[in-house]
Amino acid sequence: MRRTQAERDAITIEIGYALCSAAFAAAVLFGAVAGPALLFSLPGTVGGLLLHAGLVLAPVLFLVRVASVLLRFRMVSQPSQPGRTRPDS
């Protein structure tokens, strides 16, 4: 199936949105979790734990956000084709 230019543009925009919103969400999460360890002088164990938690959780959130945006776009972007009858009509 060939896609129109408008469909290709919509996919490109959606991918860009998914990547930007995921990067923003991951940065906010990293800042919220690891920020205190970077700003304050916390005990070594607590600071290291917060930093590692931020380094693990941020990429996970990034991947989940990208996948959820793109999967939602894929489900929404398949309208029925106008002018064609449905088999059950």
Side-chain angles (χ1 to χ4, degrees):
M1 173 178 119
R2 273 187 86 80
R3 296 177 193 239
T4 65
Q5 184 63 41
E7 289 171 328
R8 291 193 305 266
D9 290 346
I11 292 169
T12 302
I13 297 287
E14 199 66 22
I15 290 170
Y17 168 73
L19 293 173
C20 289
S21 68
F24 179 76
V28 168
L29 177 77
F30 180 79
V33 173
L38 298 173
L39 292 175
F40 306 112
S41 57
L42 299 174
T45 305
V46 175
L49 183 65
L50 288 175
L51 188 59
H52 288 298
L55 289 172
V56 169
L57 293 175
V60 170
L61 177 66
F62 180 86
L63 293 174
V64 169
R65 176 67 182 163
V66 168
S68 69
V69 168
L70 294 180
L71 288 173
R72 185 179 37 188
F73 176 73
R74 186 181 72 166
M75 287 188 279
V76 171
S77 70
Q78 297 177 0
S80 63
Q81 296 177 355
R84 295 191 179 178
T85 57
R86 292 178 148 180
D88 59 348
S89 62

